Amino acid sequence: KISQNHRHRFKWQPHCSCKSTQWQCKLLLLVDSESKMVEDQNNGEYGRPRRPSPEMVSYLNGLPLDENVASQQAKDYIAFFRLKRSGHGDNGEEVPDDEPPEYPPMLSAAHAALSSIFREVASLACEEIPSQQVETLVRICCRYSHVAKRVVLSSLSSYWVFLSTHRFGSHVAQTALRCAVAECEVNLDDFDDGQGEECEARLVIHDSYDSLLQKDEDGYLDGESVPHSLSKILLQSIEELKQFSTELAVHVCGSHVLRTALCILAGVEFAEAFAHPGSNKQVSCEGMGGDWDTGVLGATRRGKLKDKKKKKKKKSGNTAADGTGGSSHQEATVMKVMKVVSELEAKDFRKDTDALLHEMVGIITFSDGITQGSEVNPPGELQQNTCHPSAGPLLVQLLRLLSYRDFHSQP
């Protein structure tokens, strides 16, 4: 039996003249392809997306996306209507008589682009330049829309494990997870511009994502539409990662995605304790923008890829004293409660995340199935992982997360 999820990926070229023989060949090719896919998953291929179409790559690379421009346009748009509703500004300025500004063009273009590439996001995430464009799209759209958060997570469904182990895809996976749960700077989906049903923000979201959000009487169309619940999509995404937690923990890319998932389940994040003033790693920022411009969300913005260079040898001597080498205090991190959308603060959702976190901890620490706290596994893989370059830092972070939760849960 051929999986419905992968049927569209297999193509057949006829090589036989007999019609009945052609159908037999087609069936054999499909079965062989399905078997190979399962074998590749066991060999570490997981659920590899197909190659993106050249047309889609060219389209995405040609988009003039700029998060800073989108942010400024959104701020001007929001500020105008807030000033109009209040009747005066914070500094006593008068309400402008100008025509209301149009919906931020960069944001409108980003929503349209995300909708266009919805079924190829996972494929584009595996390409060097397109993956950076996808990250920028995710940051722009999720910053101002709850609907976009659901669309982003749904677009990566069934590909989370492969993307987590991919050089470029892992960056997209981390950005998608973190931005999808983050509290919007302003949720323009429900923004009131005084036009009622003709609210321009609602019209933009409807025009961009309506085909993806349509539902029939029995549920979602063709099983491809975006579910209504963000919490449901998020839990399904992390469930995919949970099944391969052991492999991801020792993977140079997968361990970072796993860390992000664990932080989301714990409701805690790590922030730089000693960041330079003005850097994008400061813990918080006052005013509109907040963590999206600075802090942890600001730090998720990936810089341009640079050519690899040979590492220079460090000079001998006590360089730590003058701040030019050695361990720096800037590497220290502090933990704080993660600011998430209101839907992810519900008690039922937190119960589900606590249960999922418990399961993942059991898998990562090889203690799954142990019921008594006094039981300890014999020396083996866990002890080896503590010295592993990827699993070691993950275990350290896991201990800090659990300690933080235990400390703040005490009455």
Side-chain angles (χ1 to χ4, degrees):
K1 183 179 180 181
I2 308 303
S3 170
Q4 294 290 340
N5 295 332
H6 304 282
R7 187 186 298 273
H8 66 282
R9 300 185 189 177
F10 307 127
K11 297 181 179 180
W12 168 69
Q13 300 294 336
H15 299 289
C16 308
S17 58
C18 176
K19 187 174 181 180
S20 60
T21 308
Q22 289 179 0
W23 280 104
Q24 292 176 2
C25 292
K26 181 177 181 180
L27 180 59
L28 287 174
L29 284 172
L30 286 171
V31 173
D32 181 67
S33 299
E34 182 78 353
S35 301
K36 187 177 185 301
M37 187 204 67
V38 175
E39 181 181 354
D40 287 343
Q41 181 166 336
N42 294 333
N43 293 334
E45 284 296 317
Y46 310 110
R48 185 184 186 114
R50 58 186 174 184
R51 294 293 298 272
S53 63
E55 295 80 9
M56 192 61 72
V57 172
S58 299
Y59 163 73
L60 186 60
N61 290 346
L63 292 176
L65 299 174
D66 191 317
E67 186 181 355
N68 294 327
V69 172
S71 174
Q72 188 58 50
Q73 291 177 353
K75 289 176 181 178
D76 294 341
Y77 177 79
I78 295 167
F80 177 88
F81 289 104
R82 285 181 174 175
L83 180 62
K84 188 175 181 179
R85 284 199 300 268
S86 63
H88 59 81
D90 296 335
N91 299 323
E93 60 264 31
E94 296 181 358
V95 179
D97 296 329
D98 302 337
E99 290 292 327
E102 62 177 341
Y103 189 82
M106 183 67 70
L107 187 54
S108 179
H111 286 309
L114 179 60
S115 175
S116 299
I117 67 171
F118 174 74
R119 289 176 176 81
E120 291 199 48
V121 171
S123 302
L124 294 165
C126 298
E127 303 292 328
E128 182 175 357
I129 303 302
S131 67
Q132 298 179 61
Q133 289 284 80
V134 170
E135 283 190 74
T136 304
L137 272 179
V138 170
R139 289 185 57 85
I140 292 175
C141 296
C142 291
R143 186 168 180 169
Y144 299 103
S145 171
H146 282 183
V147 174
K149 295 176 184 292
R150 292 153 44 200
V151 172
V152 166
L153 291 182
S154 298
S155 67
L156 302 179
S157 177
S158 77
Y159 297 115
W160 284 103
V161 179
F162 179 83
L163 293 178
S164 299
T165 59
H166 192 275
R167 177 186 175 189
F168 307 124
S170 60
H171 288 280
V172 175
Q174 279 184 272
T175 301
L177 283 173
R178 187 61 189 87
C179 292
V181 302
E183 183 181 24
C184 286
E185 182 176 313
V186 176
N187 181 22
L188 291 180
D189 298 348
D190 301 325
F191 187 73
D192 182 16
D193 60 2
Q195 302 183 53
E197 294 297 329
E198 298 299 323
C199 175
E200 194 170 5
R202 294 193 184 96
L203 293 178
V204 169
I205 294 298
H206 180 272
D207 292 343
S208 299
Y209 303 120
D210 183 56
S211 61
L212 303 177
L213 301 176
Q214 288 182 353
K215 295 179 290 185
D216 57 18
E217 297 179 353
D218 299 326
Y220 303 104
L221 295 179
D222 302 324
E224 294 181 352
S225 296
V226 177
H228 182 70
S229 171
L230 174 63
S231 58
K232 177 181 177 181
I233 310 173
L234 178 62
L235 290 174
Q236 290 175 346
S237 302
I238 300 181
E239 277 283 356
E240 288 186 38
L241 297 174
K242 185 196 75 172
Q243 300 175 22
F244 295 90
S245 296
T246 305
E247 293 85 350
L248 293 175
V250 294
H251 194 279
V252 64
C253 298
S255 60
H256 289 277
V257 180
L258 206 56
R259 290 189 213 181
T260 302
L262 290 171
C263 284
I264 291 173
L265 293 178
V268 180
E269 62 187 358
F270 293 85
E272 287 282 349
F274 304 98
H276 288 298
S279 72
N280 65 353
K281 293 184 178 181
Q282 287 180 285
V283 174
S284 62
C285 178
E286 298 295 333
M288 190 181 297
D291 287 346
W292 284 96
D293 290 327
T294 62
V296 179
L297 281 172
T300 61
R301 187 186 297 111
R302 181 170 51 151
K304 295 181 179 179
L305 296 178
K306 300 179 180 179
D307 296 333
K308 293 183 178 179
K309 297 181 180 180
K310 294 183 179 180
K311 294 183 179 179
K312 296 181 179 180
K313 295 183 179 179
K314 294 182 180 180
K315 297 181 180 180
S316 59
N318 185 15
T319 57
D322 57 9
T324 59
S327 60
S328 172
H329 67 286
Q330 294 182 8
E331 297 176 358
T333 57
V334 294
M335 287 181 288
K336 64 171 187 175
V337 176
M338 185 181 294
K339 295 180 180 179
V340 298
V341 297
S342 57
E343 181 182 343
L344 304 183
E345 294 178 344
K347 291 183 179 180
D348 291 340
F349 175 75
R350 296 317 309 178
K351 289 181 180 178
D352 293 336
T353 55
D354 288 345
L356 189 53
L357 177 62
H358 180 76
E359 293 177 12
M360 292 186 71
V361 170
I363 295 173
I364 295 172
T365 60
F366 303 98
S367 59
D368 192 24
I370 294 181
T371 56
Q372 297 181 3
S374 59
E375 297 186 25
V376 179
N377 281 340
E381 294 186 68
L382 178 59
Q383 287 72 14
Q384 294 177 7
N385 283 355
T386 57
C387 301
H388 192 278
S390 297
L394 174 65
L395 291 173
V396 171
Q397 186 185 58
L398 185 58
L399 287 173
R400 292 184 64 187
L401 287 174
L402 297 177
S403 299
Y404 183 90
R405 282 168 53 87
D406 289 344
F407 177 79
H408 286 274
S409 63
Q410 295 178 358

